[in-house]
Amino acid sequence: MQDGITTFKCRNGNIKALYIPQSGPLIVMIHGFPGRPQDFKRLINHLNGRSILAVALPGFGISPETPKITHDSLVQTLIEVIQQCSATELFVLGHSFGSALAVSIAEQLSESVTGLFLVSPVGLRPHRAMRNGARYIYPVFRYTPLYWFRRQIIPTLFHRAGFPKKITFESMWLSCHLAWAFRFNAYKLSVSRIKAPCTLIHSSNDPLIETQIITELVTAFNQAELLLFDSGKHNPHHIHAKQISQIINIKMLGQ
């Protein structure tokens, strides 16, 4: 995955991304919190010939952390990177909390975005992992005197939720920060404004996000369909990469 890594200069610093320019529309891939572009490796392998931009969000891996990371600052950074690719037609794919960034991009670049793919997306209200974890422990653990304690507890919670042990504590802590600050009401409004057709992809055995959250989200879009798998947990694009890529190819070809 290091092949094709490009550095984009943005106002808040340098951003790295896997950039594969080809003819035709560009599909932008946005990982979740925590996550990295490598999360899409299997999917990308089945999208030969497609123009792909998989961004490493600042603070989550190969792109350095930037000051005061917020949902809005991430959206603006992503838009800066996208604009440097000079694509006239876009498809945007977001995984988990990256789906919320994808929605915001589709809203702001509505004239350019032709389609939206949301994989195991965040819904219109807190899902079970947020209700039981990061969103509500963050206010308790955010103070410096509890630094050692939070370094012991937070990784345990993330590992129990199914995240790999190789994820750094800093990425986990940043994920907690962004989850705590997430504005569900603003997200719901953005969803209602999306003009492009949306495909939601989910696994019924997802341990983090219940299917009811996803079905509620489907009905909130103006044009949306649900691709539901029985397996795949929170990462259906890993074991169902071939089938999902076929759907993406069909949408990008306009068939």
Side-chain angles (χ1 to χ4, degrees), residues 36-83:
R36 53 186 189 158
Q38 290 90 331
D39 297 342
F40 301 115
K41 181 178 180 180
R42 298 178 189 178
L43 196 59
I44 290 171
N45 287 341
H46 289 286
L47 290 172
N48 292 331
R50 294 294 171 200
S51 185
I52 293 170
L53 176 70
V55 181
L57 297 176
F60 287 104
I62 58 176
S63 292
E65 186 168 347
T66 57
K68 297 181 180 179
I69 295 177
T70 65
H71 177 88
D72 291 342
S73 72
L74 289 174
V75 171
Q76 293 308 311
T77 295
L78 284 164
I79 289 176
E80 284 186 60
V81 174
I82 291 169
Q83 289 174 338

Side-chain angles (χ1 to χ4, degrees), residues 24-39:
L26 172 70
I27 180 165
V28 181
M29 298 182 173
I30 308 169
H31 64 73
F33 309 156
R36 53 186 189 158
Q38 290 90 331
D39 297 342

